Amino acid sequence: EASGHWSHHFAQMWGIQQCLQDVLSREAVCGRTYEYILRGRPDMLPEKSTFSALAKVASHGRYRLTAEGPTMWMGVGTGADRMVVLNRAALPALANITQHFSMRSCG
């Protein structure tokens, strides 16, 4: 497998894109935007450490997500994508993530 080759993740990225497109649609219907978006995998429970990190984000502690630019928090290692928190500024790029899966930009 070529280094950086991610084409086998397309189905997962498509699902994430659909989820975040739903967030954008809901914002349009409600006429307001979310400050933070929390996305969790439906097939995995979050690790205990995730909840303490979310508490720090919510309390504007060490892992505070800034409103100035696109920011995302997730764990590291295998299963790190169990729970992802992003600020509103990061939403547009991730809501169109599959456009980056082409022969030229992704392996």
Side-chain angles (χ1 to χ4, degrees):
E1 181 172 306
S3 176
H5 179 68
W6 289 79
S7 64
H8 57 283
H9 288 286
F10 182 83
Q12 180 183 18
M13 295 301 116
W14 183 85
I16 291 168
Q17 176 177 292
Q18 294 305 113
C19 170
L20 297 177
Q21 288 287 339
D22 287 347
V23 171
L24 291 170
S25 296
R26 184 68 182 161
E27 285 181 340
V29 168
C30 293
R32 61 182 184 168
T33 59
Y34 295 102
E35 185 176 353
Y36 297 104
I37 295 93
L38 173 70
R39 187 203 63 89
R41 284 183 52 177
D43 63 332
M44 298 181 85
L45 292 172
E47 293 179 351
K48 189 181 273 189
S49 63
T50 302
F51 295 108
S52 62
L54 290 175
K56 289 176 184 177
V57 168
S59 67
H60 303 289
R62 180 174 149 209
Y63 300 108
R64 182 175 186 269
L65 299 179
T66 62
E68 291 84 39
T71 308
M72 182 176 80
W73 178 91
M74 63 186 284
V76 289
T78 304
D81 63 340
R82 293 175 188 213
M83 191 72 64
V84 176
V85 181
L86 54 137
N87 70 352
R88 179 57 178 80
L91 182 59
L94 290 173
N96 294 303
I97 197 166
T98 59
Q99 72 184 7
H100 302 290
F101 279 79
S102 69
M103 292 301 286
R104 293 191 179 136
S105 66
C106 195

